[in-house]
Amino acid sequence: MKPLPYFEYHRPIKYINALKLLSSLDNTKILAGGTDLLPQMRDNVFNPDHIIDINNITKLSNIEEKDK
């Protein structure tokens, strides 16, 4: 298996902290499971400097459809 390229890993637990990271860091990808991102990183499709893992942010744990 090919190794992953070097990156800095961030794991905020609050929505606002994830937004702050997104606005302050360059070359960033969101990790929300990793089944697509990690294999693509191994194949050099993406080479982010930073990964923000949003799996522990309760506010982002589901998608809800609402009438407008």
Side-chain angles (χ1 to χ4, degrees), residues 28-44:
T28 303
K29 289 288 182 188
I30 299 291
L31 178 70
T35 57
D36 292 333
L37 179 60
L38 297 178
Q40 290 179 351
M41 287 175 62
R42 282 193 175 97
D43 291 338
N44 292 318

Side-chain angles (χ1 to χ4, degrees), residues 7-24:
F7 58 89
E8 289 189 43
Y9 178 76
H10 308 273
R11 192 174 187 183
I13 57 172
K14 296 194 181 247
Y15 181 74
I16 191 70
N17 293 341
L19 291 177
K20 287 178 183 179
L21 286 167
L22 276 171
S23 68
S24 66

